Amino acid sequence: MRCLVTGGAGFIGSLTAERLLDRGDEVIVLDDLSTGHREVVPAGAELVVAAVGDQAVVRQVLADTRPDACIHFAGLIAAGESMAEPGRYFEANVGESLALLEELIRAGVDQVVFSSSAAVYGEPQSTPMGEDHPTVPTSVYGATKLQVEQALEWMSRQGALRYAALRYFNAAGGSEGHREDHSVESHLIPLALAAVAGQRPVLQVFGTDYPTPDGTCIRDYIHVEDLAAAHLAALDHLAAGGSSLVANLGTGRGYSVREVLAAIESVVGRPVPALMADRRPGDPAELVASSKTAAEMLGWIPLRSSLDEIIADAWQAFER
Ligand SMILES: NC(=O)c1ccc[n+]([C@@H]2O[C@H](COP(=O)([O-])OP(=O)(O)OC[C@H]3O[C@@H](n4cnc5c(N)ncnc54)[C@H](O)[C@@H]3O)[C@@H](O)[C@H]2O)c1
């Protein structure tokens, strides 16, 4: 299979590109390097440096390479930043995605795997959250992901393409040559590891009075290797003629901030310098996925997502 991977210079995209190459697929990475890193693009992939919204370039790339499918990772990912810059987020995540989809359809590329997010749900009304949970995003970022899902749904209904929208919960972990390295880092584990290593100031823990057993927020962490495996399974599902789907990717087990910090201390052997702070607006107490759809439709189960393995692999990738 030949696959166009947008955002393949980023954390999840670069590892997925590598796993596609490992199994013998061909990969073309399309990335504008706005937040990604050229050096993490695997050697066997062709890299085209351009924005996904640059229709002239995308049209040429599709004509030259004629991929069978596209995995669309590219986008801006910081929910906090999206609230300060809504226009930029809608343009990059929705406007550019629509431009890409138009070119894919024009070129006859009718299988698309899309990086969606738990942020489409907003405030949880029940836990664990299934895909039928109401989608009422509380951030611009979440709204942009939902809008692209809606566009995909309409395009699929019209017969223009088939898609898998994968709603990741908290991507984490790492692998040789692949670590979380976002320009605006807002994720707990990389921030905590950087604080342990003395590369960032003490970690701020936002909120210790949530209605959870230890008062801190609970999240569902999923290893980046498990995410990559889910993308390969989604591509295979579509290639075999499978129907469009929307699927959560999580473990069904949540960990509190304090549990994550304790696990880091035990794996790394040093405490995380942390400061307890007030709650941040918009952070739900608990976000945990039901991933039944991914299990049933893609045969996917997370194999690498115990908290200790996530942290050990993130720390190893961080130290390299
Ligand atoms: N990391 C998470 O926890 C998480 C959770 C849910 C969903 N997601 C989604 O997964 C995807 C990948 O996330 P990541 O953590 O690997 O992020 P990342 O920032 O590491 O990677 C994003 C990549 O997209 C590229 N990019 C951004 N805008 C672009 C554009 N307009 N044209 C071309 N390239 C562009 C960047 O240069 C970067 O290489 C994103 O769509 C994100 O919203 C991530």
Side-chain angles (χ1 to χ4, degrees), residues 6-14 30-37 50-53 72-77 92-93 96 114-119 141 145 166-172 180-183 187 227:
T6 77
F11 174 49
I12 309 167
S14 62
L30 178 68
D31 196 301
D32 65 3
L33 301 179
S34 53
T35 60
H37 310 276
V52 293
H72 180 32
F73 290 104
L76 301 176
I77 75 155
N93 287 4
E96 294 205 37
F114 174 58
S115 293
S116 190
S117 165
Y141 169 69
K145 291 291 179 187
L166 303 179
R167 295 174 174 168
Y168 325 153
F169 279 61
N170 287 57
E180 280 198 83
D181 191 9
H182 300 116
S183 46
H187 294 164
L227 289 179

Side-chain angles (χ1 to χ4, degrees), residues 125-166:
Q125 294 174 17
S126 55
T127 190
M129 300 162 102
E131 293 84 7
D132 57 352
H133 185 284
T135 46
V136 190
T138 50
S139 68
V140 170
Y141 169 69
T144 66
K145 291 291 179 187
L146 188 58
Q147 288 191 2
V148 176
E149 279 195 18
Q150 288 166 341
L152 284 165
E153 168 61 14
W154 281 104
M155 290 167 179
S156 170
R157 275 197 223 171
Q158 303 312 116
L161 50 72
R162 284 171 298 117
Y163 73 97
L166 303 179

Side-chain angles (χ1 to χ4, degrees), residues 191-201 264-265 268 270-273 315 318:
L191 286 174
L193 294 179
V196 172
Q199 294 179 7
R200 277 183 187 263
I264 291 177
E265 179 164 351
V268 177
R270 274 179 267 161
V272 181
W315 179 239
F318 183 86

